[in-house]
Amino acid sequence: MGEMVVSGPPQGALPGIDGETRFLYVLRHGDDNLVLAQRLGEWISRAPELEEDIALANIALDHLGQARALLTYAGELEGRGRSEDDLAMTRTERQFTNLLLCEQPNEDFAHTMARQLFIDAYQLELWERLASSNDPTLAGIAAKAWKEARYHFRHSSTWVIRLGDGTEESHHRMQRAIDELWRFTTEPFMADDVDRAAAGEGYGVDPSELEEPWLARVTPVLQEAGLVIPTDPYRRVGGRQGFHTEHLGHLLAEMQWMARTYPGLEW
Amino acid sequence: MVTVEQVREAVARIPDPEIPAVTIDELGILRGVEERDGKVVVKITPTYSGCPALDAIREEIRRTFVELGVAGEVETVYSPAWTTDWIDEHARRRLESVGIAPPVDRAQVTCPRCRSGQPRTVSEFGSTACKALMVCSSCGEPFDWFKPI
Ligand SMILES: [Zn+2]
């Protein structure tokens, strides 16, 4: 990825929250975007139409760019000299702290759009609040990502409505995707110790505050699409603690293969 | 002895790799040039987070350091976040002259070729992340619109 420098952390400007918490907090959001970018990149040359191929590639690039900024900054906060590449390419599955939703496979186009809708609505709420973090570097990355999330949400919600309100086949697939991915939509709003410590000091956001506004964004889209909001209480969690679904290992194997086979390779 | 001002002038002339009709200065990507610890620090900001042009811009700035024989560093800044408001008037006219509708509200977009309004959006994402693909309902030509953010 090449060497990158972001503006250094504000030294001593953030009392009450230790460097380890800051590192873990920034890292998890970096992981969300890295894994999501890798998933979206799998669509390149396989999207249903040319414009969509370009759209998905561009959205993937936005998430990759967000991941690069966040992972580079996480490495600076950690202070052990790890670069964005070190964090992306040399950690194992158990060390990734992304949401399970981000690692779910693309399946058909309906599944991809359902996943994106859920994540885009979540990130819209997250970035808006993180843009007022008391860490100017994190706030700057979030402010930029917030603008991008608006275009992402516009894209995914348009597709969910078009497919849900489309043919019998497209409606059936869209509903199936919503039903299958709904189980991953509690995890983004569950706070752990890192979230609580970060939120308490004005550094981060308490994710439980995001659930209501998230639902207020997603519900009208599903209603307009003629889709039923699932009532199945079954929920999957664990990504923030490094307990992943079987899919992440396969994704990392592909993403990290080159970097692990030829360590330090440059071209 | 090369001054900070000379470095600023040189890097301000670097064209955007994806839209060479305008410079990185006119697009608002160049955020400042200053001297720090005996080095010239050039600050840049990405338009979109994933803008692949940023790596090319970094390389071009480093090449400029070598040409001028100065010790320099490129720093990426994220705050304040880039906005299309930073694209100056001259650059907006240049964009239009190469067939790209400048960043105005969606309802105000006019075809850069025939100037008629009410184009149709073909794709929210055009040839690059910062642009959407539109087609003119009057002359029928497709064109890129620089999305306001
Ligand atoms: Zn026209």
Side-chain angles (χ1 to χ4, degrees), chain A residues 80-99:
Chain A
R80 285 170 46 199
R82 288 205 278 182
S83 68
E84 50 171 333
D85 283 333
D86 296 331
L87 288 169
M89 300 302 173
T90 64
R91 281 181 304 146
T92 62
E93 187 191 346
R94 282 282 280 109
Q95 294 165 325
F96 270 78
T97 54
N98 59 282
L99 297 170

Side-chain angles (χ1 to χ4, degrees), chain B residues 111-116 136-141 143:
Chain B
C111 170
R113 287 180 183 81
C114 76
R115 307 285 156 176
S116 76
C136 176
S137 44
S138 182
C139 73
E141 282 291 329
F143 64 90

Side-chain angles (χ1 to χ4, degrees), chain A:
Chain A
M1 290 186 202
E3 180 193 353
M4 188 156 86
V5 184
V6 299
S7 311
Q11 301 296 333
L14 301 162
I17 170 166
D18 58 49
E20 174 78 359
T21 302
R22 280 186 255 168
F23 163 66
L24 292 173
Y25 189 75
V26 173
L27 181 71
R28 59 181 52 188
H29 297 299
D31 284 350
D32 280 355
N33 287 288
L34 178 65
V35 168
L36 192 60
Q38 180 72 12
R39 272 288 177 246
L40 285 166
E42 291 169 10
W43 272 109
I44 293 172
S45 82
R46 289 166 172 78
E49 54 187 32
L50 186 58
E51 284 78 12
E52 198 47 39
D53 213 277
I54 295 165
L56 291 169
N58 274 314
I59 295 168
L61 273 175
D62 280 345
H63 288 297
L64 183 64
Q66 293 158 8
R68 291 188 61 182
L70 290 163
L71 292 180
T72 300
Y73 188 44
E76 290 174 11
L77 289 168
E78 187 191 36
R80 285 170 46 199
R82 288 205 278 182
S83 68
E84 50 171 333
D85 283 333
D86 296 331
L87 288 169
M89 300 302 173
T90 64
R91 281 181 304 146
T92 62
E93 187 191 346
R94 282 282 280 109
Q95 294 165 325
F96 270 78
T97 54
N98 59 282
L99 297 170
L100 300 179
L101 187 55
C102 297
E103 71 202 37
Q104 295 312 301
N106 289 330
E107 302 284 355
D108 61 6
F109 189 67
H111 271 80
T112 298
M113 284 305 114
R115 184 188 67 210
Q116 297 310 117
L117 174 74
F118 294 157
I119 293 170
D120 295 343
Y122 158 71
Q123 290 197 333
L124 265 177
E125 300 302 328
L126 174 78
W127 298 136
E128 178 182 1
R129 288 162 180 80
L130 274 186
S132 345
S133 164
N134 60 12
D135 176 344
T137 300
L138 180 58
I141 296 170
K144 168 154 290 299
W146 183 27
K147 295 178 176 201
E148 292 155 5
R150 287 178 220 158
Y151 281 104
H152 299 169
F153 181 75
R154 193 184 155 93
H155 175 260
S156 58
S157 58
T158 304
W159 269 112
V160 168
I161 292 166
R162 189 166 153 191
L163 295 173
D165 193 25
T167 65
E168 199 179 314
E169 172 78 3
S170 75
H171 174 83
H172 165 71
R173 283 179 180 237
M174 203 59 244
Q175 184 66 58
R176 188 176 60 187
I178 297 289
D179 291 345
E180 286 178 14
L181 292 173
W182 194 256
R183 70 190 60 170
F184 300 107
T185 59
T186 292
E187 186 183 36
F189 312 111
M190 290 179 59
D192 65 3
D193 289 345
V194 172
D195 288 316
R196 276 187 288 269
E201 296 295 333
Y203 189 83
V205 174
D206 181 349
S208 62
E209 286 171 21
L210 308 179
E211 187 159 23
E212 240 181 68
W214 176 84
L215 203 59
R217 280 191 189 278
V218 168
T219 305
V221 174
L222 297 184
Q223 280 170 345
E224 193 180 337
L227 297 163
V228 179
I229 296 172
T231 50
D232 182 0
Y234 179 62
R235 289 292 187 266
R236 290 290 304 270
V237 296
R240 293 287 190 232
Q241 287 69 48
F243 297 110
H244 292 277
T245 59
E246 66 180 286
H247 308 295
L248 183 66
H250 297 282
L251 180 147
L252 293 182
E254 184 168 292
M255 186 179 83
Q256 297 179 338
W257 177 84
M258 183 77 91
R260 286 182 182 275
T261 310
Y262 304 101
L265 177 72
E266 282 183 51
W267 67 86

